[in-house]
Amino acid sequence: MPLPIINSIASWVLKQRIHQIELFLKYPNEVQEELLMSLIKSSENTIIGKQYDFESIKSYHTFQERVSISTYEDLEPFIERTRKGEQQVFWNEPIKWFAKSSGTTNAKSKFIPVSNEALENCHYKGSKDLLCLYLNNNENSQLFTGKSLRLGGSKQLYEDNNTFFGDLSAILIDNMPFWAEFSSTPSNKTSLMSEWETKLLAIVNETKIENVTSFAGVPSWMMVLLNKLLEETGKNNLFDIWPNLEVYFHGGVSFDPYRDQYKKILPKPDFKYYEIYNASEGFFAIQDLNNSSDLLLMLDYGIFYEFIPMDIFGTPNEKAIRLAEVELNKNYAVVITTNAGLWRYLIGDTVRFTSLNPYRIRVTGRTKHHINVFGEELMVENTDLALAKTCKTTHSEVIDYTVAPVFMSGKEKGAHEWIIEFRKHPENIEDFKILLDQNIQSLNSDYEAKRYNNMTLNPLSINVARENLFYDWLKNQDKLGGQHKIPRLSNTRDYLEQLLFLQRA
């Protein structure tokens, strides 16, 4: 069958989903309420269902009062029982897949349960909806006349007690229909290679000869791959390699610090960027409009959402609210109940709502990745955007960074200490530092108040990292490639001190 016909058929099939999306756009709170009752009903006979007497829960308020908000550590004993082969523990259907994740902060591995329902009705559904929304906004797309370059995790699946664990991407590849590989590159074999540096070259060699029309992956690692591809081929930009390239689907870290770098290697004004918000725990939100930074919260993926206002998070007054109660432009910690048996699970991300009709969000950071040592409430969203603005003004480019507090000592005031690895250095680091500080103040009034006349906080300081410092730090921790990310902000100096030690070594 000719490629244009395949493209037309695939586009038509995917766009049929628009009518279902319109349903939850029209009745969002009703869809969420019905979903919660369905999740509770389905798990009445599980161990957790009996522990909380799910059979008698008939409303959200009863669910909220009876079921505690949980972290991974709270759920770990139940997850370990299922990993050893016991079923009907926290979900009513057998679970044999576990997405292994250490996140950015915890060296200890987490094993996130992935049910068949979560695979089909959340992760795969999210991937299809991403294409559906993109095609609905771009009628002339030729996406399916070529292949999608995917850059996922780097670990194969491992078996343990007849259960399987590995990167989420490995689980998705292992369960994908056989025909899906024909529309993707590199091959499954290459995608699942464990050693990042060998894998990088293998991907370059496989993909440079393909007709790639889209690519998907974390911006930081994708930039490493694309720069390697340009280096190996001797080309100036990606359109010299893939003339039909039309969209980059990205997620995992903020795109703001990398946006200008991508525009340099993708020099077409009509090239599209589409953001997603997904994790091992689920697929949560998708950019639904061209040229937007807002993500549509997807409400029919088997995930019930709650939110804890960050101004009371971790306090005695902490309380979660449902979707119908959220407000615009407030930071919230996300709590999810899912069709993989995660009950009121605190995933560690923070978001703010930019629209309530429909519900659209922006990811603002992590509950553990902010700095509030001095009452400044600094979020990753603030530092990412301030850094992007500063780089644009100073014509510089950043690869990675992290920030930590300088604690008060005697009469010495506090401050924020940065370490930044530049791809392109600013002409004057002092000017860069002053401008960055000003940009943060313009984005965060709490930081501005603490910086007023150096009342609480002294000016920030910057350590310029040597070449490949962050890469070497990740390599030392066996965290190269895939979904691994640099922790941007921390209330402690642990990450910064490790990096400074490596810098001096």
Side-chain angles (χ1 to χ4, degrees):
M1 190 181 294
L3 286 176
I5 296 176
I6 293 173
N7 187 73
S8 298
I9 293 172
S11 299
W12 181 85
V13 169
L14 283 166
K15 283 192 283 189
Q16 301 313 296
R17 163 72 173 146
I18 286 292
H19 303 298
Q20 293 172 308
I21 292 174
E22 287 170 348
L23 180 66
F24 78 68
L25 291 179
K26 190 173 182 180
Y27 304 105
N29 301 315
E30 293 85 349
V31 166
Q32 277 281 282
E33 199 84 12
E34 185 179 321
L35 171 61
L36 174 62
M37 292 301 110
S38 173
L39 292 171
I40 292 170
K41 178 70 177 172
S42 67
S43 293
E44 286 178 356
N45 294 317
T46 64
I47 289 170
I48 279 188
K50 290 174 181 175
Q51 176 182 322
Y52 290 114
D53 190 15
F54 278 4
E55 190 175 359
S56 69
I57 296 179
K58 306 300 179 188
S59 71
Y60 166 69
H61 292 295
T62 307
F63 174 72
Q64 182 186 41
E65 289 169 3
R66 194 175 297 174
V67 183
S68 306
I69 290 174
S70 58
T71 63
Y72 182 80
E73 288 68 31
D74 298 323
L75 294 182
E76 186 177 28
F78 298 100
I79 291 172
E80 283 305 302
R81 287 168 67 171
T82 303
R83 285 190 65 222
K84 291 174 181 175
E86 187 177 353
Q87 297 295 343
Q88 292 284 321
V89 177
F90 46 79
W91 189 241
N92 64 316
E93 296 292 335
I95 292 181
K96 67 174 183 175
W97 306 100
F98 294 86
K100 186 180 179 184
S101 168
S102 61
T104 48
T105 61
N106 196 338
K108 183 179 179 182
S109 293
K110 298 177 181 178
F111 295 88
I112 305 300
V114 182
S115 65
N116 289 332
E117 292 93 334
L119 277 174
E120 292 298 330
N121 298 323
C122 183
H123 293 291
Y124 289 142
K125 192 174 183 178
S127 298
K128 287 185 281 190
D129 281 355
L130 171 62
L131 298 175
C132 163
L133 290 165
Y134 173 75
L135 292 168
N136 193 57
N137 292 330
N138 299 280
E139 293 287 341
N140 297 320
S141 169
Q142 296 298 305
L143 202 64
F144 295 103
T145 60
K147 292 190 175 185
S148 175
L149 189 162
R150 62 190 179 196
L151 183 61
S154 307
K155 296 266 179 14
Q156 296 187 26
L157 291 171
Y158 302 92
E159 185 176 356
D160 184 22
N161 293 310
N162 204 32
T163 62
F164 301 85
F165 66 88
D167 285 354
L168 176 67
S169 55
I171 294 172
L172 296 177
I173 288 171
D174 198 72
N175 287 276
M176 221 174 256
F178 74 92
W179 49 264
E181 187 173 0
F182 295 128
S183 62
S184 302
T185 187
S187 64
N188 288 357
K189 182 181 177 183
T190 299
S191 293
L192 293 174
M193 289 173 68
S194 294
E195 207 282 308
W196 165 252
E197 288 163 333
T198 306
K199 173 180 173 176
L200 189 66
L201 198 54
I203 293 175
V204 167
N205 290 331
E206 269 192 49
T207 58
K208 67 184 180 183
I209 58 173
E210 297 283 4
N211 175 28
V212 172
T213 53
S214 68
F215 55 100
V218 175
S220 50
W221 291 111
M222 183 60 77
M223 181 56 73
V224 173
L225 169 63
L226 297 178
N227 281 329
K228 185 70 173 176
L229 185 76
L230 291 171
E231 178 189 318
E232 292 291 322
T233 58
K235 303 296 185 182
N236 293 319
N237 67 68
L238 294 178
F239 299 118
D240 291 339
I241 305 168
W242 303 313
N244 300 314
L245 196 59
E246 61 177 84
V247 61
Y248 172 29
F249 301 113
H250 62 88
V253 298
S254 169
F255 193 55
D256 286 328
Y258 303 99
R259 191 178 303 277
D260 287 343
Q261 295 178 50
Y262 275 91
K263 285 182 178 178
K264 281 188 177 180
I265 60 175
L266 293 160
K268 277 187 183 177
D270 60 345
F271 184 81
K272 302 292 191 298
Y273 299 90
Y274 262 62
E275 185 173 353
I276 62 171
Y277 171 30
N278 68 334
S280 298
E281 294 87 351
F283 204 122
F284 308 125
I286 302 171
Q287 180 182 326
D288 65 318
L289 300 170
N290 286 341
N291 306 312
S292 173
S293 297
D294 299 339
L295 308 181
L296 180 68
L297 194 63
M298 307 304 285
L299 304 178
D300 63 348
Y301 285 3
I303 299 174
F304 178 77
Y305 293 98
E306 296 175 87
F307 303 90
I308 303 173
M310 281 302 289
D311 55 3
I312 59 170
F313 179 80
T315 73
N317 298 322
E318 177 179 297
K319 183 184 177 183
I321 58 175
R322 57 185 159 176
L323 189 61
E325 301 170 79
V326 299
E327 300 174 28
L328 285 176
N329 298 316
K330 284 187 70 171
N331 276 308
Y332 294 98
V334 182
V335 178
I336 58 173
T337 293
T338 77
N339 53 5
L342 296 174
W343 298 96
R344 303 198 81 198
Y345 180 74
L346 189 66
I347 61 174
D349 291 335
T350 60
V351 302
R352 64 179 172 88
F353 284 83
T354 57
S355 166
L356 301 183
N357 184 24
Y359 289 105
R360 290 197 181 99
I361 61 171
R362 292 190 188 181
V363 182
T364 56
R366 299 276 295 168
T367 54
K368 292 183 179 179
H369 288 184
H370 67 286
I371 300 180
N372 193 31
V373 173
F374 312 103
E376 65 273 51
E377 287 288 356
L378 191 67
M379 306 294 292
V380 173
E381 182 186 37
N382 303 146
T383 54
D384 276 346
L385 192 52
L387 196 59
K389 289 173 69 175
T390 307
C391 285
K392 194 174 187 70
T393 304
T394 60
H395 308 291
S396 53
E397 295 175 4
V398 164
I399 294 174
D400 258 315
Y401 75 93
T402 195
V403 191
V406 177
F407 295 102
M408 293 178 179
S409 176
K411 293 183 180 180
E412 193 63 35
K413 295 170 184 174
H416 289 177
E417 184 175 1
W418 291 58
I419 185 163
I420 304 174
E421 183 178 346
F422 291 96
R423 186 182 307 280
K424 182 182 178 185
H425 289 255
E427 284 188 15
N428 188 306
I429 193 65
E430 283 301 312
D431 291 345
F432 184 95
K433 182 182 76 171
I434 292 167
L435 185 57
L436 177 59
D437 194 85
Q438 291 171 349
N439 282 332
I440 298 171
Q441 291 185 53
S442 72
L443 293 166
N444 184 310
S445 57
D446 290 319
Y447 180 82
E448 182 184 31
K450 302 300 181 291
R451 283 283 299 112
Y452 179 71
N453 286 337
N454 299 341
M455 191 176 297
T456 304
L457 288 176
N458 282 327
L460 62 84
S461 63
I462 295 177
N463 300 283
V464 177
R466 65 163 171 80
E467 188 178 0
N468 292 327
L469 178 68
F470 286 93
Y471 186 94
D472 292 342
W473 184 73
L474 287 169
K475 187 174 183 177
N476 287 348
Q477 299 183 60
D478 193 27
K479 286 189 174 185
L480 285 182
Q483 308 301 309
H484 298 302
K485 308 156 205 155
I486 298 293
R488 300 296 200 200
L489 308 180
S490 176
N491 273 326
T492 75
R493 292 182 57 83
D494 294 352
Y495 306 119
L496 183 71
E497 293 296 347
Q498 290 171 27
L499 285 157
L500 290 174
F501 178 80
L502 195 59
Q503 172 104 323
R504 294 188 292 264

